[in-house]
Amino acid sequence: MSSNRFASRTAGALIGLAMMALTPTVGLASASCSASRDSHIPTRQSRAPAGSEVMAKLQKVQGTKRDAEVVGQVLSGNVPSFLWQLQPVALTGQRANGETVEVTICVTPEYLAVGNDRDFVRVPMGLAAAARIATEMGFLLPTTKMVDEIYRQARVHLPPRPMKPTAQMESTTYLLEHNRTLDAQKSRDHQPATELTAGQKKDIVLTNRLRSKPGRVAIYGWHRLNGKPIQPLSTVHGAAYADYSHGVRLVSRTAFVNGKPEDLAMIMQDRDLARIVSSEGPIADPANLLARQY
């Protein structure tokens, strides 16, 4: 997707949301996030395969070959519909002049999955695949600070369920077993699928380290119930690496600053506002940084 094409779509989304944000109240956040679903997110076709069907064909496939199939499924719209009910997460801070600012980001309620609402599989993937999906569908990946706030504000907290660290960690068999574990955990909570849920996986994150560590993937999170993450920010793995514990949480390019729609990529570069959404401070040209990963 060309940058001009995406820019026009982002501008259209912001203009379309402007009337909803004339009164900067938190009460509008959920409705605004729901409305921020842009037209370039494809609709799932009725004939699209269920998650279990997709994974059955990938039982003996992993790494970039599995990623390629997953990317095709996601970009064609084979994603459970509840994932597009974006949920608001508010981050509050101050400008250099002391003014209090609230930045509301809109995030997927769960980690990226393929399939339908009844039969879906959460899909770990390498950085290139995650970056392509995010970029082409009008999203960014979260920062570590966003991941922390997503966990803190989530309505559903699933305690981590690590599996044995064997040579099978990257296999489809492992990710399916972990997916079944998460399904069982969620079923016990009796919460709607659209509720913001966190703690079940590590996040692939957007960080300045991707510039100093080319060819690596940055992962962070997997919070325990005490709010402390198992995984500190790490770039130890190559960019193609993905095991069962990794997940892709998408963050809309449309965010809200005191209720006003703004491009999240611009917020992340702003000297004042970047500190609210990133513990690293500004991340220069985050959209291009992400796009360069594939």
Side-chain angles (χ1 to χ4, degrees):
M1 179 182 293
S2 69
S3 58
N4 288 339
R5 183 181 175 193
F6 179 78
S8 65
R9 284 177 169 177
T10 301
L14 296 177
I15 292 171
L17 288 164
M19 294 304 294
M20 297 184 65
L22 290 176
T23 304
T25 62
V26 178
L28 290 177
S30 184
S32 297
C33 280
S34 179
S36 70
R37 171 177 169 163
D38 297 329
S39 60
H40 53 287
I41 297 176
T43 300
R44 187 178 187 277
Q45 300 301 306
S46 59
R47 295 182 179 180
S52 59
E53 294 177 69
V54 174
M55 289 298 122
K57 295 178 180 179
L58 299 175
Q59 190 67 48
K60 297 182 179 180
V61 180
Q62 62 188 53
T64 55
K65 290 184 178 180
R66 187 176 66 206
D67 283 358
E69 177 62 27
V70 168
V71 168
Q73 292 290 330
V74 172
L75 294 183
S76 70
N78 191 12
V79 174
S81 64
F82 72 82
L83 277 178
W84 303 134
Q85 300 298 311
L86 304 183
Q87 299 301 312
V89 174
L91 299 94
T92 303
Q94 290 185 327
R95 295 184 186 272
N97 64 6
E99 176 193 357
T100 297
V101 179
E102 181 178 85
V103 177
T104 300
I105 58 174
C106 301
V107 308
T108 52
E110 247 266 29
Y111 289 102
L112 194 61
V114 296
N116 57 50
D117 285 358
R118 297 177 305 280
D119 184 341
F120 63 89
V121 178
R122 301 162 187 85
V123 279
M125 64 189 75
L127 177 57
R132 181 181 173 192
I133 288 170
T135 300
E136 294 198 13
M137 299 181 81
F139 291 88
L140 293 171
L141 295 178
T143 65
T144 59
K145 189 170 185 179
M146 292 178 193
V147 172
D148 286 339
E149 278 302 315
I150 289 169
Y151 185 82
R152 192 178 70 83
Q153 298 180 39
R155 294 287 298 275
V156 179
H157 294 110
L158 299 182
R161 289 290 184 264
M163 297 170 65
K164 291 182 179 180
T166 72
Q168 296 299 309
M169 288 175 65
E170 300 175 64
S171 70
T172 300
T173 299
Y174 246 52
L175 79 83
L176 285 172
E177 183 177 345
H178 193 247
N179 193 73
R180 287 190 290 270
T181 297
L182 299 186
D183 284 343
Q185 285 182 281
K186 287 203 73 173
S187 67
R188 289 193 292 270
D189 281 283
H190 305 293
Q191 295 288 344
T194 53
E195 289 286 8
L196 185 60
T197 303
Q200 67 273 48
K201 284 185 178 288
K202 304 171 188 175
D203 282 80
I204 300 178
V205 294
L206 190 58
T207 169
N208 283 318
R209 288 196 195 180
L210 294 177
R211 291 190 171 89
S212 59
K213 298 286 186 179
R216 303 290 182 88
V217 61
I219 55 174
Y220 173 79
W222 219 7
H223 290 67
R224 303 178 181 90
L225 290 178
N226 64 7
K228 303 296 183 182
I230 292 175
Q231 178 64 65
L233 178 60
S234 170
T235 52
V236 69
H237 294 297
Y241 181 84
D243 68 42
Y244 76 94
S245 68
H246 294 191
V248 177
R249 176 95 64 179
L250 298 175
V251 184
S252 175
R253 280 280 300 262
T254 302
F256 299 86
V257 179
N258 288 341
K260 178 183 177 183
E262 301 283 356
D263 185 349
L264 181 59
M266 300 303 293
I267 294 170
M268 294 172 71
Q269 298 176 83
D270 185 275
R271 284 187 178 181
D272 281 348
L273 298 180
R275 293 178 296 178
I276 299 175
V277 297
S278 168
S279 59
E280 303 175 29
I283 299 178
D285 201 359
N288 187 50
L289 172 61
L290 190 59
R292 289 206 309 266
Q293 305 306 317
Y294 64 94

